Amino acid sequence: MKSLFLILGLGIVFVCLQSLTIRVNGNDPKTAMEAITYSTAANTDLRLKRTGNKTFQKAVQPLETETAVFVNPDKTFQTFLGIGAAVTDASAEVYATLPKEKQEEFIRAYFNVNSGIGYTLLRTSIHSCDFSSGSYTYVTNEDKSLSTFSIDHDQKYRIPLIKNILASYPATPVYASPWSPPAFMKDNNSMLKGGKLLPEFYGSWAMYYTKFIKSYEAAGIPIWGITVQNEPMATQRWESCIYTAEEERDFLKNHLGPTMKRAGYGEKKIIVWDHNRDLINHRADVIFSDPEASQYAWGIGFHWYETWTGGDPMFSNVAQVNKSYPDKNLVFTEGCVEKFDASKYQHWANGERYGRSMINDFNAGTIAWTDWNILLDQTGGPNHVQNFCFAPIHADTRTDEIIYTPSYYYIGHFSKFIRPGASRISAVASRSSLMTTSFKNLDGSIATVVMNATDSPVTYKLYIGEEAIEETIGAHAIQTVVSK
């Protein structure tokens, strides 16, 4: 019996010593973080594929010769709202041509967080835009009183698609933007080619937004918010309308804001600017510095098309707005790759443009990111002014084929793993070869996105607090490391 107790005692001591050794080495299986890596890479079959499963080890001082990504979960910034895209007339018309099984595949591919990329946000237009089969409004000509207001046009394609999405994903916020007031309300008597809203129609146009909200909500589509005007400094050959900063400020504070409030829509979010990063600071200063206007402005939206000049994307402008007006929300409201060419469906640089923009925009304080058309056909349309563009997913209406582009997978590295309510946390790379951003989800998981746009693979160490793992990212690749 004594020998039995001796053996048992020695066993207990051995187990305790082993446990102590494990804890000293930082490998306690009860406390060590696990990391799962998902990768997408050029010239491979990797498309949001799981490529690694590692356990964090106690970190050591990194060497100057090493490449590292440093994440500090104790330094938190903005709360994440969501990522999504726009349901335009074009998108809805293409969707309607697909057989039911392809329609279901399309919705799952975007909105299902397990089998798809988990979109959580939608934008749409208030009547027509360039991605419509033609120009139209919700009222008959010269109807200043808006007594003929009707969204019957949208009931054919657009509303059914949005409702199909919301039927399975009802918590998805929907916001809307106008491209132009009706022609009779403008000084050029046209919905196209710029022009300005005539002062005598400010009241009618403000009421137009509230009628849109009321009609869409009666049709079963809750409206989360609106933007004042899509691209208010761009005279386009399609639907467009020009507002200076002062004109948008005054329309918001004297007409749109009060009208929305009187109609019982004071809780709806109003987003100003809705144009490029280049002039965003001036617009923010003019509107947000006016207390009467600012009270109605929940946030400011921006696009990425300033890069058409070949210049810098000016991410720092977005960051400066965030520093100057931390109580206002930043939303990327539109971006797409223009000049459609079907031979470039798989052009890798298109995806990298999304990755670069999303990382930098989130690091600048952006809370939500909205792509442009959620679906287009094999021509990059339909579009009534031949302004054909790329979308992350195209459908060839001749064959019912659904085409997934690199942009879809690059967006997915964010939308699939960073969920609404997440907090951005500090993340930096030690070398310019890598770009990174990181968020902590409500379930405690940390999603760190790492992008390599260089021609060579990069081996790096990911440090989260006092622990680290080693990973390798391929050339022209993007990874999301989910740690918990």
Side-chain angles (χ1 to χ4, degrees), residues 46-76:
L46 297 178
R47 299 293 183 271
L48 275 169
K49 283 193 176 180
R50 182 168 170 167
T51 55
N53 188 351
K54 298 183 178 181
T55 301
F56 277 83
Q57 306 291 327
K58 183 69 176 179
V60 297
Q61 169 65 45
L63 303 175
E64 289 187 351
T65 55
E66 294 177 329
T67 299
V69 170
F70 300 104
V71 175
N72 184 349
D74 296 330
K75 299 299 180 182
T76 60

PDB file of all heavy atoms in Angstrom, residues 46-76:
ATOM      1  N   LEU A  46      -5.938  29.786 -54.156  1.00  0.00           N
ATOM      2  CA  LEU A  46      -6.352  30.276 -52.838  1.00  0.00           C
ATOM      3  C   LEU A  46      -7.357  31.414 -52.983  1.00  0.00           C
ATOM      4  O   LEU A  46      -7.034  32.492 -53.494  1.00  0.00           O
ATOM      5  CB  LEU A  46      -5.139  30.757 -52.043  1.00  0.00           C
ATOM      6  CG  LEU A  46      -4.081  29.711 -51.699  1.00  0.00           C
ATOM      7  CD1 LEU A  46      -2.920  30.361 -50.956  1.00  0.00           C
ATOM      8  CD2 LEU A  46      -4.680  28.579 -50.874  1.00  0.00           C
ATOM      9  N   ARG A  47      -8.562  31.174 -52.528  1.00  0.00           N
ATOM     10  CA  ARG A  47      -9.617  32.176 -52.545  1.00  0.00           C
ATOM     11  C   ARG A  47     -10.367  32.068 -51.227  1.00  0.00           C
ATOM     12  O   ARG A  47     -11.235  31.224 -51.052  1.00  0.00           O
ATOM     13  CB  ARG A  47     -10.579  31.962 -53.718  1.00  0.00           C
ATOM     14  CG  ARG A  47      -9.945  32.040 -55.101  1.00  0.00           C
ATOM     15  CD  ARG A  47      -9.451  33.453 -55.424  1.00  0.00           C
ATOM     16  NE  ARG A  47      -8.903  33.532 -56.771  1.00  0.00           N
ATOM     17  CZ  ARG A  47      -7.629  33.297 -57.092  1.00  0.00           C
ATOM     18  NH1 ARG A  47      -6.767  32.969 -56.126  1.00  0.00           N
ATOM     19  NH2 ARG A  47      -7.204  33.394 -58.328  1.00  0.00           N
ATOM     20  N   LEU A  48      -9.986  32.904 -50.270  1.00  0.00           N
ATOM     21  CA  LEU A  48     -10.568  32.869 -48.934  1.00  0.00           C
ATOM     22  C   LEU A  48     -10.457  31.471 -48.333  1.00  0.00           C
ATOM     23  O   LEU A  48     -11.378  30.980 -47.677  1.00  0.00           O
ATOM     24  CB  LEU A  48     -12.027  33.324 -48.957  1.00  0.00           C
ATOM     25  CG  LEU A  48     -12.276  34.827 -48.870  1.00  0.00           C
ATOM     26  CD1 LEU A  48     -13.730  35.153 -49.171  1.00  0.00           C
ATOM     27  CD2 LEU A  48     -11.895  35.366 -47.496  1.00  0.00           C
ATOM     28  N   LYS A  49      -9.339  30.807 -48.576  1.00  0.00           N
ATOM     29  CA  LYS A  49      -9.138  29.449 -48.089  1.00  0.00           C
ATOM     30  C   LYS A  49      -8.391  29.433 -46.759  1.00  0.00           C
ATOM     31  O   LYS A  49      -7.487  30.244 -46.536  1.00  0.00           O
ATOM     32  CB  LYS A  49      -8.368  28.614 -49.116  1.00  0.00           C
ATOM     33  CG  LYS A  49      -9.221  28.161 -50.298  1.00  0.00           C
ATOM     34  CD  LYS A  49      -8.512  27.095 -51.107  1.00  0.00           C
ATOM     35  CE  LYS A  49      -9.405  26.566 -52.219  1.00  0.00           C
ATOM     36  NZ  LYS A  49      -8.722  25.520 -53.020  1.00  0.00           N
ATOM     37  N   ARG A  50      -8.758  28.486 -45.934  1.00  0.00           N
ATOM     38  CA  ARG A  50      -8.061  28.306 -44.661  1.00  0.00           C
ATOM     39  C   ARG A  50      -6.681  27.728 -44.939  1.00  0.00           C
ATOM     40  O   ARG A  50      -6.551  26.658 -45.537  1.00  0.00           O
ATOM     41  CB  ARG A  50      -8.867  27.382 -43.771  1.00  0.00           C
ATOM     42  CG  ARG A  50      -8.276  27.147 -42.395  1.00  0.00           C
ATOM     43  CD  ARG A  50      -9.302  26.454 -41.519  1.00  0.00           C
ATOM     44  NE  ARG A  50      -8.718  26.001 -40.267  1.00  0.00           N
ATOM     45  CZ  ARG A  50      -9.447  25.589 -39.227  1.00  0.00           C
ATOM     46  NH1 ARG A  50     -10.760  25.575 -39.315  1.00  0.00           N
ATOM     47  NH2 ARG A  50      -8.856  25.191 -38.112  1.00  0.00           N
ATOM     48  N   THR A  51      -5.656  28.441 -44.526  1.00  0.00           N
ATOM     49  CA  THR A  51      -4.289  28.018 -44.844  1.00  0.00           C
ATOM     50  C   THR A  51      -3.410  27.819 -43.609  1.00  0.00           C
ATOM     51  O   THR A  51      -2.243  27.465 -43.750  1.00  0.00           O
ATOM     52  CB  THR A  51      -3.603  29.051 -45.765  1.00  0.00           C
ATOM     53  OG1 THR A  51      -3.664  30.350 -45.138  1.00  0.00           O
ATOM     54  CG2 THR A  51      -4.265  29.102 -47.118  1.00  0.00           C
ATOM     55  N   GLY A  52      -3.941  28.039 -42.430  1.00  0.00           N
ATOM     56  CA  GLY A  52      -3.108  27.870 -41.245  1.00  0.00           C
ATOM     57  C   GLY A  52      -3.919  27.779 -39.976  1.00  0.00           C
ATOM     58  O   GLY A  52      -5.022  28.324 -39.892  1.00  0.00           O
ATOM     59  N   ASN A  53      -3.399  27.063 -39.004  1.00  0.00           N
ATOM     60  CA  ASN A  53      -3.997  26.969 -37.676  1.00  0.00           C
ATOM     61  C   ASN A  53      -2.848  26.850 -36.684  1.00  0.00           C
ATOM     62  O   ASN A  53      -2.180  25.825 -36.620  1.00  0.00           O
ATOM     63  CB  ASN A  53      -4.915  25.754 -37.587  1.00  0.00           C
ATOM     64  CG  ASN A  53      -5.705  25.750 -36.284  1.00  0.00           C
ATOM     65  OD1 ASN A  53      -5.455  26.540 -35.378  1.00  0.00           O
ATOM     66  ND2 ASN A  53      -6.664  24.849 -36.183  1.00  0.00           N
ATOM     67  N   LYS A  54      -2.589  27.918 -35.946  1.00  0.00           N
ATOM     68  CA  LYS A  54      -1.416  27.954 -35.078  1.00  0.00           C
ATOM     69  C   LYS A  54      -1.788  28.417 -33.678  1.00  0.00           C
ATOM     70  O   LYS A  54      -2.834  29.052 -33.468  1.00  0.00           O
ATOM     71  CB  LYS A  54      -0.343  28.886 -35.664  1.00  0.00           C
ATOM     72  CG  LYS A  54       0.173  28.418 -37.023  1.00  0.00           C
ATOM     73  CD  LYS A  54       1.284  29.313 -37.536  1.00  0.00           C
ATOM     74  CE  LYS A  54       1.800  28.786 -38.876  1.00  0.00           C
ATOM     75  NZ  LYS A  54       2.905  29.621 -39.405  1.00  0.00           N
ATOM     76  N   THR A  55      -0.920  28.110 -32.740  1.00  0.00           N
ATOM     77  CA  THR A  55      -1.079  28.551 -31.362  1.00  0.00           C
ATOM     78  C   THR A  55      -0.056  29.641 -31.062  1.00  0.00           C
ATOM     79  O   THR A  55       1.126  29.493 -31.380  1.00  0.00           O
ATOM     80  CB  THR A  55      -0.865  27.379 -30.389  1.00  0.00           C
ATOM     81  OG1 THR A  55      -1.819  26.357 -30.687  1.00  0.00           O
ATOM     82  CG2 THR A  55      -1.042  27.833 -28.942  1.00  0.00           C
ATOM     83  N   PHE A  56      -0.539  30.722 -30.492  1.00  0.00           N
ATOM     84  CA  PHE A  56       0.375  31.809 -30.126  1.00  0.00           C
ATOM     85  C   PHE A  56       1.353  31.351 -29.047  1.00  0.00           C
ATOM     86  O   PHE A  56       0.991  30.598 -28.140  1.00  0.00           O
ATOM     87  CB  PHE A  56      -0.417  33.021 -29.626  1.00  0.00           C
ATOM     88  CG  PHE A  56      -0.942  33.896 -30.729  1.00  0.00           C
ATOM     89  CD1 PHE A  56      -2.124  33.574 -31.384  1.00  0.00           C
ATOM     90  CD2 PHE A  56      -0.260  35.032 -31.121  1.00  0.00           C
ATOM     91  CE1 PHE A  56      -2.616  34.371 -32.398  1.00  0.00           C
ATOM     92  CE2 PHE A  56      -0.743  35.839 -32.139  1.00  0.00           C
ATOM     93  CZ  PHE A  56      -1.924  35.507 -32.784  1.00  0.00           C
ATOM     94  N   GLN A  57       2.582  31.833 -29.184  1.00  0.00           N
ATOM     95  CA  GLN A  57       3.630  31.548 -28.217  1.00  0.00           C
ATOM     96  C   GLN A  57       4.032  32.856 -27.524  1.00  0.00           C
ATOM     97  O   GLN A  57       3.775  33.945 -28.036  1.00  0.00           O
ATOM     98  CB  GLN A  57       4.861  30.954 -28.923  1.00  0.00           C
ATOM     99  CG  GLN A  57       4.571  29.748 -29.786  1.00  0.00           C
ATOM    100  CD  GLN A  57       4.174  28.534 -28.996  1.00  0.00           C
ATOM    101  OE1 GLN A  57       4.654  28.350 -27.873  1.00  0.00           O
ATOM    102  NE2 GLN A  57       3.309  27.701 -29.553  1.00  0.00           N
ATOM    103  N   LYS A  58       4.661  32.698 -26.374  1.00  0.00           N
ATOM    104  CA  LYS A  58       5.171  33.878 -25.678  1.00  0.00           C
ATOM    105  C   LYS A  58       6.100  34.655 -26.599  1.00  0.00           C
ATOM    106  O   LYS A  58       7.012  34.103 -27.210  1.00  0.00           O
ATOM    107  CB  LYS A  58       5.930  33.445 -24.422  1.00  0.00           C
ATOM    108  CG  LYS A  58       6.453  34.589 -23.572  1.00  0.00           C
ATOM    109  CD  LYS A  58       5.318  35.348 -22.909  1.00  0.00           C
ATOM    110  CE  LYS A  58       5.854  36.427 -21.971  1.00  0.00           C
ATOM    111  NZ  LYS A  58       4.760  37.189 -21.349  1.00  0.00           N
ATOM    112  N   ALA A  59       5.851  35.945 -26.750  1.00  0.00           N
ATOM    113  CA  ALA A  59       6.620  36.754 -27.696  1.00  0.00           C
ATOM    114  C   ALA A  59       7.992  37.102 -27.143  1.00  0.00           C
ATOM    115  O   ALA A  59       8.180  37.224 -25.932  1.00  0.00           O
ATOM    116  CB  ALA A  59       5.862  38.038 -28.020  1.00  0.00           C
ATOM    117  N   VAL A  60       8.933  37.256 -28.052  1.00  0.00           N
ATOM    118  CA  VAL A  60      10.268  37.747 -27.695  1.00  0.00           C
ATOM    119  C   VAL A  60      10.527  39.022 -28.471  1.00  0.00           C
ATOM    120  O   VAL A  60       9.828  39.334 -29.434  1.00  0.00           O
ATOM    121  CB  VAL A  60      11.355  36.699 -28.009  1.00  0.00           C
ATOM    122  CG1 VAL A  60      11.141  35.447 -27.165  1.00  0.00           C
ATOM    123  CG2 VAL A  60      11.347  36.341 -29.492  1.00  0.00           C
ATOM    124  N   GLN A  61      11.513  39.748 -28.077  1.00  0.00           N
ATOM    125  CA  GLN A  61      11.880  40.994 -28.748  1.00  0.00           C
ATOM    126  C   GLN A  61      12.161  40.728 -30.233  1.00  0.00           C
ATOM    127  O   GLN A  61      13.010  39.915 -30.575  1.00  0.00           O
ATOM    128  CB  GLN A  61      13.129  41.590 -28.102  1.00  0.00           C
ATOM    129  CG  GLN A  61      13.766  42.741 -28.868  1.00  0.00           C
ATOM    130  CD  GLN A  61      12.868  43.960 -28.951  1.00  0.00           C
ATOM    131  OE1 GLN A  61      12.269  44.344 -27.960  1.00  0.00           O
ATOM    132  NE2 GLN A  61      12.778  44.570 -30.120  1.00  0.00           N
ATOM    133  N   PRO A  62      11.400  41.390 -31.158  1.00  0.00           N
ATOM    134  CA  PRO A  62      11.660  41.176 -32.583  1.00  0.00           C
ATOM    135  C   PRO A  62      13.020  41.755 -32.984  1.00  0.00           C
ATOM    136  O   PRO A  62      13.494  42.738 -32.401  1.00  0.00           O
ATOM    137  CB  PRO A  62      10.524  41.928 -33.271  1.00  0.00           C
ATOM    138  CG  PRO A  62      10.081  42.946 -32.272  1.00  0.00           C
ATOM    139  CD  PRO A  62      10.285  42.325 -30.930  1.00  0.00           C
ATOM    140  N   LEU A  63      13.626  41.125 -33.981  1.00  0.00           N
ATOM    141  CA  LEU A  63      14.906  41.581 -34.492  1.00  0.00           C
ATOM    142  C   LEU A  63      14.706  42.576 -35.617  1.00  0.00           C
ATOM    143  O   LEU A  63      13.658  42.603 -36.277  1.00  0.00           O
ATOM    144  CB  LEU A  63      15.726  40.388 -34.993  1.00  0.00           C
ATOM    145  CG  LEU A  63      15.990  39.277 -33.975  1.00  0.00           C
ATOM    146  CD1 LEU A  63      16.695  38.107 -34.651  1.00  0.00           C
ATOM    147  CD2 LEU A  63      16.795  39.807 -32.791  1.00  0.00           C
ATOM    148  N   GLU A  64      15.715  43.398 -35.871  1.00  0.00           N
ATOM    149  CA  GLU A  64      15.631  44.383 -36.952  1.00  0.00           C
ATOM    150  C   GLU A  64      15.495  43.718 -38.310  1.00  0.00           C
ATOM    151  O   GLU A  64      14.994  44.319 -39.258  1.00  0.00           O
ATOM    152  CB  GLU A  64      16.866  45.282 -36.937  1.00  0.00           C
ATOM    153  CG  GLU A  64      16.911  46.252 -35.772  1.00  0.00           C
ATOM    154  CD  GLU A  64      18.059  47.237 -35.873  1.00  0.00           C
ATOM    155  OE1 GLU A  64      18.909  47.045 -36.762  1.00  0.00           O
ATOM    156  OE2 GLU A  64      18.088  48.185 -35.078  1.00  0.00           O
ATOM    157  N   THR A  65      15.954  42.504 -38.425  1.00  0.00           N
ATOM    158  CA  THR A  65      15.903  41.792 -39.705  1.00  0.00           C
ATOM    159  C   THR A  65      14.545  41.152 -39.960  1.00  0.00           C
ATOM    160  O   THR A  65      14.289  40.655 -41.055  1.00  0.00           O
ATOM    161  CB  THR A  65      16.983  40.699 -39.736  1.00  0.00           C
ATOM    162  OG1 THR A  65      16.812  39.849 -38.590  1.00  0.00           O
ATOM    163  CG2 THR A  65      18.377  41.311 -39.717  1.00  0.00           C
ATOM    164  N   GLU A  66      13.672  41.153 -38.969  1.00  0.00           N
ATOM    165  CA  GLU A  66      12.375  40.498 -39.102  1.00  0.00           C
ATOM    166  C   GLU A  66      11.308  41.492 -39.567  1.00  0.00           C
ATOM    167  O   GLU A  66      11.414  42.699 -39.361  1.00  0.00           O
ATOM    168  CB  GLU A  66      11.939  39.905 -37.758  1.00  0.00           C
ATOM    169  CG  GLU A  66      12.817  38.769 -37.270  1.00  0.00           C
ATOM    170  CD  GLU A  66      12.378  38.263 -35.909  1.00  0.00           C
ATOM    171  OE1 GLU A  66      11.857  39.064 -35.107  1.00  0.00           O
ATOM    172  OE2 GLU A  66      12.550  37.067 -35.665  1.00  0.00           O
ATOM    173  N   THR A  67      10.259  40.956 -40.177  1.00  0.00           N
ATOM    174  CA  THR A  67       9.068  41.743 -40.505  1.00  0.00           C
ATOM    175  C   THR A  67       7.986  41.370 -39.503  1.00  0.00           C
ATOM    176  O   THR A  67       7.778  40.183 -39.215  1.00  0.00           O
ATOM    177  CB  THR A  67       8.591  41.446 -41.930  1.00  0.00           C
ATOM    178  OG1 THR A  67       9.628  41.795 -42.851  1.00  0.00           O
ATOM    179  CG2 THR A  67       7.336  42.239 -42.264  1.00  0.00           C
ATOM    180  N   ALA A  68       7.321  42.366 -38.978  1.00  0.00           N
ATOM    181  CA  ALA A  68       6.329  42.102 -37.933  1.00  0.00           C
ATOM    182  C   ALA A  68       5.074  42.930 -38.142  1.00  0.00           C
ATOM    183  O   ALA A  68       5.098  44.002 -38.760  1.00  0.00           O
ATOM    184  CB  ALA A  68       6.927  42.400 -36.559  1.00  0.00           C
ATOM    185  N   VAL A  69       3.972  42.399 -37.628  1.00  0.00           N
ATOM    186  CA  VAL A  69       2.716  43.130 -37.504  1.00  0.00           C
ATOM    187  C   VAL A  69       2.388  43.165 -36.015  1.00  0.00           C
ATOM    188  O   VAL A  69       2.315  42.116 -35.362  1.00  0.00           O
ATOM    189  CB  VAL A  69       1.582  42.449 -38.296  1.00  0.00           C
ATOM    190  CG1 VAL A  69       0.235  43.089 -37.959  1.00  0.00           C
ATOM    191  CG2 VAL A  69       1.856  42.527 -39.791  1.00  0.00           C
ATOM    192  N   PHE A  70       2.233  44.360 -35.473  1.00  0.00           N
ATOM    193  CA  PHE A  70       1.991  44.541 -34.042  1.00  0.00           C
ATOM    194  C   PHE A  70       0.536  44.958 -33.819  1.00  0.00           C
ATOM    195  O   PHE A  70       0.094  45.994 -34.336  1.00  0.00           O
ATOM    196  CB  PHE A  70       2.924  45.608 -33.464  1.00  0.00           C
ATOM    197  CG  PHE A  70       4.383  45.294 -33.617  1.00  0.00           C
ATOM    198  CD1 PHE A  70       5.146  45.945 -34.586  1.00  0.00           C
ATOM    199  CD2 PHE A  70       4.998  44.347 -32.821  1.00  0.00           C
ATOM    200  CE1 PHE A  70       6.495  45.677 -34.735  1.00  0.00           C
ATOM    201  CE2 PHE A  70       6.350  44.058 -32.957  1.00  0.00           C
ATOM    202  CZ  PHE A  70       7.106  44.718 -33.927  1.00  0.00           C
ATOM    203  N   VAL A  71      -0.189  44.151 -33.050  1.00  0.00           N
ATOM    204  CA  VAL A  71      -1.579  44.432 -32.707  1.00  0.00           C
ATOM    205  C   VAL A  71      -1.678  44.649 -31.205  1.00  0.00           C
ATOM    206  O   VAL A  71      -1.181  43.830 -30.420  1.00  0.00           O
ATOM    207  CB  VAL A  71      -2.506  43.277 -33.141  1.00  0.00           C
ATOM    208  CG1 VAL A  71      -3.934  43.517 -32.660  1.00  0.00           C
ATOM    209  CG2 VAL A  71      -2.475  43.122 -34.662  1.00  0.00           C
ATOM    210  N   ASN A  72      -2.311  45.758 -30.820  1.00  0.00           N
ATOM    211  CA  ASN A  72      -2.492  46.064 -29.396  1.00  0.00           C
ATOM    212  C   ASN A  72      -3.992  46.158 -29.104  1.00  0.00           C
ATOM    213  O   ASN A  72      -4.632  47.179 -29.370  1.00  0.00           O
ATOM    214  CB  ASN A  72      -1.805  47.381 -29.036  1.00  0.00           C
ATOM    215  CG  ASN A  72      -1.887  47.683 -27.542  1.00  0.00           C
ATOM    216  OD1 ASN A  72      -2.610  47.022 -26.808  1.00  0.00           O
ATOM    217  ND2 ASN A  72      -1.144  48.686 -27.097  1.00  0.00           N
ATOM    218  N   PRO A  73      -4.591  45.094 -28.556  1.00  0.00           N
ATOM    219  CA  PRO A  73      -6.037  45.098 -28.317  1.00  0.00           C
ATOM    220  C   PRO A  73      -6.486  46.114 -27.272  1.00  0.00           C
ATOM    221  O   PRO A  73      -7.687  46.392 -27.163  1.00  0.00           O
ATOM    222  CB  PRO A  73      -6.302  43.663 -27.810  1.00  0.00           C
ATOM    223  CG  PRO A  73      -5.109  42.870 -28.207  1.00  0.00           C
ATOM    224  CD  PRO A  73      -3.960  43.820 -28.181  1.00  0.00           C
ATOM    225  N   ASP A  74      -5.542  46.667 -26.491  1.00  0.00           N
ATOM    226  CA  ASP A  74      -5.910  47.634 -25.453  1.00  0.00           C
ATOM    227  C   ASP A  74      -6.129  49.037 -26.008  1.00  0.00           C
ATOM    228  O   ASP A  74      -6.635  49.909 -25.292  1.00  0.00           O
ATOM    229  CB  ASP A  74      -4.834  47.676 -24.373  1.00  0.00           C
ATOM    230  CG  ASP A  74      -4.702  46.360 -23.627  1.00  0.00           C
ATOM    231  OD1 ASP A  74      -5.719  45.647 -23.507  1.00  0.00           O
ATOM    232  OD2 ASP A  74      -3.584  46.031 -23.186  1.00  0.00           O
ATOM    233  N   LYS A  75      -5.735  49.271 -27.257  1.00  0.00           N
ATOM    234  CA  LYS A  75      -5.923  50.582 -27.885  1.00  0.00           C
ATOM    235  C   LYS A  75      -7.062  50.469 -28.894  1.00  0.00           C
ATOM    236  O   LYS A  75      -6.913  49.886 -29.958  1.00  0.00           O
ATOM    237  CB  LYS A  75      -4.637  51.043 -28.563  1.00  0.00           C
ATOM    238  CG  LYS A  75      -3.451  51.206 -27.606  1.00  0.00           C
ATOM    239  CD  LYS A  75      -3.737  52.257 -26.543  1.00  0.00           C
ATOM    240  CE  LYS A  75      -2.548  52.412 -25.597  1.00  0.00           C
ATOM    241  NZ  LYS A  75      -2.826  53.406 -24.532  1.00  0.00           N
ATOM    242  N   THR A  76      -8.217  50.998 -28.529  1.00  0.00           N
ATOM    243  CA  THR A  76      -9.415  50.846 -29.353  1.00  0.00           C
ATOM    244  C   THR A  76      -9.829  52.173 -29.977  1.00  0.00           C
ATOM    245  O   THR A  76      -9.594  53.245 -29.412  1.00  0.00           O
ATOM    246  CB  THR A  76     -10.576  50.285 -28.527  1.00  0.00           C
ATOM    247  OG1 THR A  76     -10.866  51.187 -27.448  1.00  0.00           O
ATOM    248  CG2 THR A  76     -10.227  48.920 -27.953  1.00  0.00           C
TER     249      THR A  76
END
